[in-house]
């Protein structure tokens, strides 16, 4: 299927997933369920080539992510190189195993910003969700990040088991000196999709949480910016996925697969190209995967005739695939989708799920079973 | 937060103004985000250097572009930039 023939806009955002390795086991991880199969990581020189070629094309925001990027021994070297290329460098980390020496070393290499995640506002729940004792250390790390002058985003993924802590989470963010707080309702890809019944909050929980978020957005105005990411399952209209497919975002997976969105590895018949075989320019401009959902030639009804098609681009293709089996269908979170019942059914099914049902944690042992 | 005329303006720490050759424009970079700037916004932000106050900014830009009457547009933009937390003021 051909996309629009118009030359694509250049990538602005590069997400460098340096590794799938992670010392934590969060059951909502967006990495693929079978990540353990992709252990052949790009080496330092391959990453440098990706960074240079992407920068030459126009990428300027760079996220080092994973897995846990601190696991990579060449992280400081890659930050240093990226800084030299003129990227705005973001480290997206759990903070696990971070120490003051590393924070200083990264600062000297030119790291611009650190996003640290916490799993909850209490030690017990944080350590349960993370699958590792980490709460107290994360708080120490957050304070060190601020001590060394970084802007800091504190990220907390919200779900049924921690969303009641909203007020405490925000108080914790204030105490830790966060500049930005990202309260991200779980999006159901990868491990989160697998654990959806146990993670999906109720409408009532969401209403309470959103009211608290709004209250703090008002009271923290000018001090701490609070982003509350509304869960699309409850929204009725889909998110404008990736700001439009192949328009802005480029993700490179640990093994060098180039993805238009970090969930796209799972899409069948996409032939996502590898940076081991192609240049970034070939991948961005010419590959089947990146052209697939450009423009609107690919759209079916009800998207094709929808007045909002230039606003939400039909929503999230990975979600359409996961729920309907066809990535070119309208994202079923849209209440105009003929398959919207899949979303309302999922909400009902989650609400009926016993709290006794165990979460499947993200680790290599579990990954090998998929 | 609204504009105080006798205080200097500067970018909030962590924000960076940068010329992007590939896009042929200035962008404002901050944690996990970027804003593509039109020419007039970029001109104003470039002189928010921590020393210039409103009157200095107006004078600098009116001199640079050999024009007058920019003050209202500049005030409007600075208020937006303050409201969005891109710039801040200090005495």
């Amino acid at each position: 299927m051909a996309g629009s023939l118009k030359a694509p806009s250049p990538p602005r955002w590069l997400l460098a997933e340096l590794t799938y390795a992670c010392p934590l086991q969060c059951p909502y991880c967006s990495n693929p369920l079978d990540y353990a199969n992709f252990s052949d990581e790009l080496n330092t020189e391959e990453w440098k080539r990706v960074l240079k070629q992407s920068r030459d094309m126009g990428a300027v925001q760079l996220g080092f992510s994973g897995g846990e990027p601190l696991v990579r021994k060449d992280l400081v070297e890659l930050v240093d190189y990226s800084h030299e290329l003129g990227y705005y460098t973001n480290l997206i980390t759990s903070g696990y195993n971070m120490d003051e020496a590393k924070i200083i070393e990264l600062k000297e290499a030119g790291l611009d910003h650190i996003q640290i995640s916490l799993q909850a506002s209490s030690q017990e729940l944080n350590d349960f969700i993370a699958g590792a004792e980490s709460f107290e250390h994360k708080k120490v790390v957050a304070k060190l990040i601020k001590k060394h002058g970084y802007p800091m985003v504190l990220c907390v993924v919200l779900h049924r088991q921690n969303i009641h802590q909203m007020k405490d989470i925000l108080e914790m963010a204030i105490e830790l000196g966060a500049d930005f707080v990202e309260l991200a309702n779980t999006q159901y890809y990868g491990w989160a999709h697998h654990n959806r019944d146990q993670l999906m909050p109720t409408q009532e929980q969401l209403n309470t949480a959103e009211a608290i978020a709004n209250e703090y957005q008002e009271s923290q105005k000018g001090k701490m910016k609070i982003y509350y990411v509304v869960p699309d399952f409850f929204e009725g209209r889909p998110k404008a996925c990736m700001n439009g497919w192949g328009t802005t975002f480029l993700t490179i997976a640990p093994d060098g697969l180039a993805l238009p969105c970090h969930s796209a590895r799972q899409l069948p018949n996409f032939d996502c190209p590898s940076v081991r075989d192609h240049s970034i320019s070939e991948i961005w401009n010419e590959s089947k995967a990146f052209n697939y959902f450009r423009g609107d030639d690919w759209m079916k009804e009800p998207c094709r005739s929808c007045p909002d098609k230039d606003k939400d681009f039909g929503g999230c293709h990975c979600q359409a695939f996961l729920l309907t089996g066809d990535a070119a269908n309208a994202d079923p979170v849209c209440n105009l989708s003929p398959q919207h019942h899949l979303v309302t059914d999922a909400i009902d099914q989650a609400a009926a799920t016993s709290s006794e049902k165990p979460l499947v944690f993200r680790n290599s042992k579990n990954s090998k079973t998929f | 937060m609204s504009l105080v005329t006798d205080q200097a303006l500067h970018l909030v720490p962590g924000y960076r103004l940068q010329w992007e050759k590939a896009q042929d424009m200035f962008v404002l970079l901050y944690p996990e985000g970027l804003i593509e700037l039109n020419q007039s916004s970029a001109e104003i932000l470039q002189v928010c250097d921590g020393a210039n106050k409103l009157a200095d900014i107006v004078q600098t830009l009116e001199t640079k572009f050999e024009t007058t009457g920019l003050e209202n547009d500049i005030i409007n933009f600075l208020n937006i930039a303050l409201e969005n937390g891109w710039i801040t003021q200090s005495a």
Side-chain angles (χ1 to χ4, degrees):
Chain A
M1 200 181 299
S4 159
L5 293 174
K6 208 173 59 177
S9 56
R12 259 67 49 84
W13 240 111
L14 173 64
L15 185 67
E17 294 185 330
L18 296 181
T19 178
Y20 283 138
C22 184
L24 302 190
Q25 307 183 41
C26 307
Y28 46 71
C29 182
S30 63
N31 285 167
L33 285 166
D34 57 349
Y35 73 86
N37 292 334
F38 311 109
S39 54
D40 184 17
E41 293 181 1
L42 295 183
N43 64 32
T44 309
E45 291 315 309
E46 287 173 314
W47 271 117
K48 285 187 177 175
R49 191 178 73 224
V50 166
L51 291 163
K52 174 76 169 74
Q53 291 179 352
S54 303
R55 180 74 189 117
D56 285 345
M57 285 195 71
V60 61
Q61 274 288 349
L62 169 62
F64 288 110
S65 165
E68 171 51 66
L70 286 170
V71 170
R72 283 283 297 217
K73 295 203 162 42
D74 54 1
L75 177 63
V76 174
E77 183 179 350
L78 294 175
V79 168
D80 188 52
Y81 183 69
S82 307
H83 177 69
E84 209 176 283
L85 292 173
Y87 279 108
Y88 191 96
T89 50
N90 304 272
L91 178 66
I92 300 159
T93 178
S94 69
Y96 197 88
N97 275 342
M98 179 86 111
D99 59 19
E100 188 162 17
K102 182 67 84 177
I103 290 172
I104 293 169
E105 215 184 341
L106 287 165
K107 185 88 187 175
E108 286 169 357
L111 183 64
D112 289 297
H113 151 247
I114 298 178
Q115 181 201 105
I116 183 169
S117 61
L118 271 93
Q119 281 66 27
S121 61
S122 63
Q123 176 170 12
E124 191 187 0
L125 187 55
N126 180 91
D127 294 356
F128 169 69
I129 294 292
E133 195 179 313
S134 53
F135 183 69
E136 293 302 332
H137 177 65
K138 280 166 175 275
K139 291 209 295 182
V140 170
V141 170
K143 287 185 175 162
L144 288 170
I145 290 168
K146 287 313 298 173
K147 177 184 163 190
H148 289 282
Y150 288 96
M152 180 171 77
V153 173
L154 181 72
C155 177
V156 182
V157 174
L158 300 174
H159 46 81
R160 186 194 301 179
Q161 311 205 15
N162 71 357
I163 196 166
H164 64 282
Q165 294 186 334
M166 186 68 124
K167 196 175 169 62
D168 293 335
I169 288 168
L170 285 159
E171 287 296 332
M172 177 177 74
I174 295 169
E175 183 209 321
L176 295 175
D179 301 285
F180 305 81
V181 184
E182 192 177 319
L183 301 163
N185 275 289
T186 303
Q187 304 197 47
Y188 298 100
Y189 308 98
W191 295 78
H193 179 70
H194 190 74
N195 286 308
R196 190 178 66 194
D197 286 343
Q198 303 95 298
L199 294 172
M200 180 101 62
T202 64
Q203 182 72 60
E204 192 185 356
Q205 282 184 309
L206 286 168
N207 293 346
T208 308
E210 191 167 354
I212 295 168
N214 290 341
E215 180 193 316
Y216 275 79
Q217 278 167 336
E218 201 49 47
S219 68
Q220 290 299 309
K221 210 167 190 175
K223 290 179 272 189
M224 182 173 86
K225 266 193 197 173
I226 301 168
Y227 300 111
Y228 178 76
V229 183
V230 178
D232 60 358
F233 268 56
F234 294 82
E235 270 297 87
R237 285 301 159 89
K239 54 186 181 277
C241 192
M242 309 314 289
N243 195 37
W245 185 270
T247 66
T248 311
F249 289 93
L250 169 63
T251 296
I252 306 297
D255 60 344
L257 213 62
L259 308 170
C261 119
H262 65 276
S263 292
R265 183 190 276 276
Q266 62 178 338
L267 298 176
N269 309 318
F270 262 63
D271 307 327
C272 283
S274 169
V275 300
R276 285 181 162 140
D277 306 321
H278 303 281
S279 71
I280 297 295
S281 159
E282 285 168 348
I283 286 168
W284 185 262
N285 292 317
E286 295 162 30
S287 72
K288 176 182 164 189
F290 279 79
N291 279 301
Y292 209 93
F293 291 121
R294 282 190 175 133
D296 55 17
D297 290 352
W298 59 272
M299 276 185 188
K300 304 197 234 176
E301 293 296 351
C303 298
R304 175 167 286 280
S305 60
C306 181
D308 284 345
K309 72 175 174 182
D310 296 324
K311 203 168 85 185
D312 59 37
F313 316 112
C316 170
H317 311 302
C318 297
Q319 191 147 269
F321 170 70
L322 274 173
L323 296 180
T324 75
D326 182 352
N329 279 335
D331 184 342
V333 304
C334 182
N335 57 21
L336 299 172
S337 159
Q339 285 149 306
H340 183 59
H341 62 91
L342 294 171
V343 167
T344 50
D345 289 352
I347 293 171
D348 293 344
Q349 182 181 314
T353 300
S354 154
S355 58
E356 305 290 303
K357 186 177 173 187
L359 290 159
V360 177
F361 284 86
R362 178 243 196 245
N363 55 46
S364 295
K365 184 165 160 273
N366 286 335
S367 178
K368 284 174 184 148
T369 66
F370 292 108
Chain B
M1 217 184 302
S2 61
L3 188 60
V4 181
T5 54
D6 63 350
Q7 290 186 0
L9 293 129
H10 59 89
L11 290 181
V12 166
Y15 283 64
R16 191 163 94 211
L17 188 65
Q18 184 166 305
W19 172 256
E20 283 299 297
K21 195 172 68 177
Q23 295 178 67
D24 196 27
M25 64 168 72
F26 275 95
V27 295
L28 183 63
L29 301 165
Y30 58 96
E32 297 170 44
L34 81 158
I35 293 156
E36 299 178 339
L37 298 167
N38 61 26
Q39 196 199 342
S40 55
S41 307
E43 291 290 348
I44 298 170
L45 288 179
Q46 279 177 84
V47 290
C48 291
D49 61 356
N52 286 331
K53 299 170 187 171
L54 173 66
D56 309 313
I57 292 169
V58 173
Q59 197 191 348
T60 304
L61 295 179
E62 287 185 347
T63 305
K64 180 170 178 180
F65 293 100
E66 298 175 347
T67 186
T68 55
L70 295 183
E71 185 168 6
N72 279 342
D73 287 345
I74 292 174
I75 290 174
N76 286 342
F77 176 77
L78 290 174
N79 274 319
I80 291 168
L82 283 163
E83 178 73 17
N84 286 325
W86 303 340
I87 57 173
T88 186
Q89 296 198 275
S90 48

